[in-house]
Amino acid sequence: MSERTDQPENPFGVTTGQRTALTNLAGPGISAEDVHLIELLRSGNEAAFESLVDCHTAAMLRLAKVFVTAQAVAEEVVQETWMAVLVGLSRFEGRSSLKTWIFRILTNHAKTRAQREGRSIPFSSLPDVDTAVISNSSEPAVDPDRFLPADHQWSGHWISFPLDWREMPEERLLSQETHACIDRAIEALPPGQREVIILRDIEGWTSDETCSLLGISAVNQRVLLHRARSKVRGALEKYFEKA
Amino acid sequence: MASADSLSCQEVVELVTEYLENTLISEMHERFEQHIADCPGCTNYVRQVRLTIDMLHQLAQEPAFPGTKQELLQFFRNWKKGSGFC
């Protein structure tokens, strides 16, 4: 949790200090795979660096855009992050996984950049709930009007069933317009929900990885995921009904 | 018929994430599955959520920025030189 992600004063001019023995990689967060990769990076293996960049850049860009809206700025943030990763590699001790460390540098850079641009950063990683009582949530997953009222014999049951989306043509589900609808729904989410749904559902991170990066509890992570997924599903339902 | 301990659809939609995350306690997990087995609306709802997750994951396949990668690789080469590795 406490891996250092601060940057050197001059991230582009540092020329010493990268050569460090691997003995400092002793943290519990480090896998054998990470140790091997860091060895390759520290020994200057360009192919290893390139594949790491290819693997993570799209996700980094997506996450940066939670904080900075302009594409060009997000790209700069990603670029700066990779530079800071190289410069900081000698200090990396493996208290978190390499991936978590890289993404923590990214979110720090993105938040700093957003602040410099005068965008206020909400408590993006802090959900507004501390309890597991999702069912009492002030944000219902589905509009309450979709269910029969309290005085009905079948109170709380669907008035009309949700549709089976598998009956739609597959091209529909995979179309660019559908992707655009999902993108819009994600952009409308509060930052905390956005971070979680990007990491979990778009990028396929585990719950543990997501909690570790964002510094939130598993319960809070689930609440954020639940709200985010519910809203994206709701947006898709409206979109599919319209057309 | 709805019995006292059966879940309503409105409850099911709030539990779906915990169900898919496999974090419901076993008794609740069972009640959830019992409801789904009898309710075509909630069966479709859970399917919709699963499909939403699949569609979200497809967004990850979209290409990243290629333009600045060469710059980055050049930085890597300079970094390597600077660190005395080559």
Side-chain angles (χ1 to χ4, degrees):
Chain A
M1 283 315 222
S2 57
E3 193 70 59
R4 284 167 61 90
T5 53
D6 51 356
Q7 312 139 40
E9 291 281 279
N10 174 6
F12 308 108
V14 176
T15 55
T16 53
Q18 280 98 343
R19 185 195 286 275
T20 310
L22 291 164
T23 46
N24 67 344
L25 289 174
I30 197 94
S31 65
E33 217 183 349
D34 271 0
V35 171
H36 178 62
L37 184 53
I38 290 158
E39 244 170 84
L40 289 174
L41 292 173
R42 286 181 180 172
S43 70
N45 186 312
E46 188 172 318
F49 179 65
E50 190 175 354
S51 71
L52 191 66
V53 168
D54 288 343
C55 176
H56 292 313
T57 292
M60 291 165 77
L61 207 48
R62 205 174 277 283
L63 202 59
K65 283 162 85 178
V66 173
F67 305 99
V68 294
T69 33
Q71 173 77 13
V73 179
E75 288 186 12
E76 275 173 38
V77 166
V78 172
Q79 194 86 335
E80 284 166 17
T81 300
W82 283 117
M83 293 173 180
V85 163
L86 289 177
V87 171
L89 201 58
S90 60
R91 285 198 315 268
F92 179 71
E93 292 171 6
R95 269 177 274 144
S96 62
S97 72
L98 183 64
K99 181 167 90 171
T100 303
W101 180 68
I102 292 170
F103 276 79
R104 205 167 289 147
I105 295 175
L106 174 92
T107 50
N108 286 347
H109 272 258
K111 286 175 189 173
T112 306
R113 188 62 184 264
Q115 265 158 356
R116 227 191 295 154
E117 294 185 341
R119 294 194 67 206
S120 65
I121 300 296
F123 296 103
S124 62
S125 295
L126 296 175
D128 50 359
V129 279
D130 284 317
T131 67
V133 190
I134 295 177
S135 52
N136 290 342
S137 151
S138 53
E139 285 182 43
V142 175
D143 184 347
D145 290 346
R146 295 284 306 270
F147 303 101
L148 292 163
D151 56 4
H152 194 279
Q153 180 197 359
W154 291 97
S155 159
H157 288 69
W158 296 104
I159 292 174
S160 66
F161 287 159
L163 301 177
D164 186 352
W165 288 353
R166 294 177 314 173
E167 284 167 10
M168 286 191 302
E170 201 175 339
E171 311 87 78
R172 196 76 212 292
L173 292 173
L174 302 173
S175 76
Q176 281 305 310
E177 292 87 74
T178 304
H179 281 190
C181 168
I182 297 173
D183 275 331
R184 281 193 304 276
I186 292 173
E187 274 168 31
L189 297 172
Q193 293 179 25
R194 225 171 130 180
E195 286 177 304
V196 170
I197 201 166
I198 288 172
L199 294 170
R200 289 295 314 278
D201 288 346
I202 299 184
E203 303 303 333
W205 285 34
T206 65
S207 166
D208 284 350
E209 288 172 331
T210 304
C211 290
S212 164
L213 174 66
L214 303 179
I216 57 177
S217 72
V219 169
N220 281 349
Q221 188 248 185
R222 275 202 302 279
V223 173
L224 292 170
L225 182 63
H226 179 68
R227 291 183 176 180
R229 271 182 190 167
S230 301
K231 286 178 199 164
V232 174
R233 186 215 64 88
L236 281 169
E237 183 176 52
K238 274 208 187 92
Y239 167 75
F240 289 142
E241 270 170 14
K242 238 189 294 168
Chain B
M1 278 299 287
S3 64
D5 68 339
S6 70
L7 295 167
S8 71
C9 306
Q10 205 165 3
E11 287 169 319
V12 163
V13 301
E14 296 300 345
L15 292 171
V16 68
T17 304
E18 298 228 50
Y19 172 72
L20 295 175
E21 294 280 283
N22 211 9
T23 51
L24 289 175
I25 56 165
S26 58
E27 183 253 338
M28 190 56 99
H29 190 93
E30 246 168 62
R31 284 170 66 190
F32 188 99
E33 291 197 326
Q34 267 165 19
H35 179 104
I36 295 291
D38 293 333
C39 177
C42 287
T43 300
N44 282 353
Y45 186 86
V46 174
R47 261 183 210 145
Q48 286 187 358
V49 174
R50 286 188 196 274
L51 275 167
T52 299
I53 297 166
D54 291 347
M55 285 188 265
L56 281 160
H57 192 56
Q58 281 162 20
L59 296 181
Q61 323 302 328
E62 289 178 2
F65 68 114
T68 43
K69 194 165 122 183
Q70 285 312 314
E71 269 174 56
L72 206 50
L73 294 179
Q74 190 55 50
F75 180 85
F76 183 79
R77 287 173 211 130
N78 294 342
W79 169 81
K80 190 163 82 168
K81 273 188 219 146
S83 65
F85 279 123
C86 50

